[in-house]
Amino acid sequence: MTAQITAGQFHAADGVEDWRCLYHAVSARFRTGSLAEGVALADGIGQLAGETEQRYVSVDLRHDGVTVSLSRRDVELARRISAVARALGIPADPTAVQLVNVTLDVLVGARVLPFWRALLGYRAVGDDYLGDPARRGPGLGLQQMDAARPHRNRMHLDVAVPHDQAEARIAAALAAGGHLVSDAHAPMWWVLADAEGNEACVATWVGRDQRRSDTAGPVITDP
């Protein structure tokens, strides 16, 4: 297993056109015509993962497709998974991957994190993020605030999308009645709101590689 690489380095590699970086993971969606096709692809992925002894491989099998997530360092495994899908005649749809997290504004994170950890049955990742051990539900992130914001909602969704789909997703949300709150941090993230002011962020990896720490957004670690 090689050292971790940046999102930009991953996307610059050859043979990973099916994959998109979402925070600290890379994901690909393969559309199948049946559950049987999905099982065949999942079996092939399992064999590859076993051969390479990868610790972080997430496979979500549904009747119409398979979504795979890897660590960014696993460039070669991503290539080989794409090759298995092509051999099975299963196309990739890079536009179909996303990662949704819930973010809660807090004044003292240590006071509220134990409550949410107990309520959700999640595990703590650091002192400001909770993740679903089964990787089924969205993560919960705590965003430190300097002062209370009584006139704004304290909970919002963070939606990580492929970098080449962000503008289309934003345009669709605006056309559906939303409005832009801020693009001050674009293209890392945009803040949108619905007609009643409930906020959500659309996030990409672009620009994060240039920050002092590439940990903006949820931290996804190897299990």
Side-chain angles (χ1 to χ4, degrees):
M1 183 177 294
T2 60
Q4 185 63 282
I5 62 175
T6 68
Q9 288 171 327
F10 178 89
H11 279 294
D14 293 330
V16 295
E17 293 80 10
D18 295 340
W19 300 79
R20 295 293 184 273
C21 287
L22 302 175
Y23 294 126
H24 292 271
V26 295
S27 296
R29 169 77 172 175
F30 299 96
R31 296 199 178 277
T32 59
S34 67
L35 184 61
E37 285 186 359
V39 170
L41 177 56
D43 181 63
I45 294 169
Q47 292 183 37
L48 288 176
E51 291 172 4
T52 53
E53 297 183 353
Q54 301 298 318
R55 294 179 59 218
Y56 176 60
V57 179
S58 174
V59 179
D60 187 312
L61 171 64
R62 305 297 173 102
H63 73 282
D64 60 348
V66 176
T67 302
V68 192
S69 296
L70 309 172
S71 167
R72 282 199 309 244
R73 64 172 65 92
D74 298 323
V75 175
E76 181 58 28
L77 180 58
R79 293 192 188 106
R80 296 180 68 184
I81 290 173
S82 290
V84 170
R86 286 194 299 272
L88 293 171
I90 300 174
D93 182 2
T95 70
V97 296
Q98 67 176 20
L99 179 64
V100 177
N101 287 278
V102 178
T103 301
L104 178 66
D105 292 344
V106 298
L107 295 177
V108 184
R111 292 177 55 191
V112 301
L113 187 142
F115 167 82
W116 290 102
R117 181 178 183 180
L119 180 69
L120 297 170
Y122 278 14
R123 64 182 177 88
V125 182
D127 57 5
D128 61 357
Y129 186 75
L130 296 173
D132 180 1
R135 300 183 183 274
R136 293 191 302 264
L140 175 67
L142 304 183
Q143 180 171 278
Q144 183 69 47
M145 305 300 295
D146 295 328
R149 299 193 304 181
H151 302 297
R152 296 178 65 183
N153 55 294
R154 297 186 60 180
M155 185 175 288
H156 68 271
L157 296 182
D158 286 321
V159 184
V161 301
H163 62 281
D164 50 1
Q165 297 298 313
E167 291 186 5
R169 184 69 66 92
I170 292 168
L174 298 180
H179 64 273
L180 178 67
V181 175
S182 174
D183 60 0
H185 299 282
M188 284 189 291
W189 75 86
W190 294 256
V191 183
L192 310 180
D194 66 16
E196 295 188 358
N198 300 299
E199 295 180 1
C201 293
V202 174
T204 76
W205 66 267
V206 178
R208 297 178 189 275
D209 290 351
Q210 284 72 50
R211 291 172 66 92
R212 181 179 63 83
S213 172
D214 191 23
T215 57
V219 177
I220 301 174
T221 60
D222 292 351

